Amino acid sequence: MARLSRIAPELPAANLHAAIAFYEHKLGFRVAMQMPAGDYAIVERDGVAIHLFQDDSRKHAPVGIHVFTSDLEELRDEFVERGATLSQDILRKPWGSRDFRLHDGFGNQIKFTGPPTED
């Protein structure tokens, strides 16, 4: 069976420069590539790539993505120190996983999920 090796979600942004700044300064990503026209960029951190594109039309619905980490509390604390505002602090979900959530300022939700732990 063929295997999948990677996913790279594309997220719309009404202001691409502001979106890049958010991912760099609030979440610690770095710009891996930006198109000369300024309408598309890729930000990366720890092997996770997020593609951002300028969306002036607002025809795209906001997107939700799920990023997995083994260091959930540490990552949450880092983002809060950087000035990111959580829309949900760490919660255990009925299915056992734990996550926290934030929005990127353009309506896109990012969920960071860690492994279940014993309470």
Side-chain angles (χ1 to χ4, degrees), residues 19-31:
I20 291 169
F22 174 84
Y23 284 90
E24 283 186 308
H25 301 297
K26 304 284 186 188
L27 305 186
F29 281 72
R30 67 170 184 76
V31 175

Side-chain angles (χ1 to χ4, degrees), residues 51-106:
H51 295 230
L52 304 168
F53 65 94
Q54 183 71 38
D55 180 21
D56 297 321
S57 68
R58 295 309 259 157
K59 289 183 181 177
H60 297 18
V63 175
I65 63 172
H66 218 135
V67 180
F68 295 87
T69 179
S70 58
D71 302 309
L72 193 63
E73 288 83 1
E74 183 179 341
L75 190 63
R76 185 252 343 252
D77 294 347
E78 175 192 334
F79 290 170
V80 169
E81 281 182 29
R82 290 174 168 271
T85 302
L86 306 180
S87 58
Q88 173 205 292
D89 203 350
I90 297 173
L91 287 178
R92 178 176 309 284
K93 299 302 179 182
W95 46 91
S97 68
R98 300 164 52 243
D99 68 39
F100 69 89
R101 300 164 187 230
L102 55 86
H103 290 86
D104 67 3
F106 302 99

Side-chain angles (χ1 to χ4, degrees), residues 28-40:
F29 281 72
R30 67 170 184 76
V31 175
M33 186 282 295
Q34 188 167 358
M35 294 300 291
D39 59 349
Y40 197 92

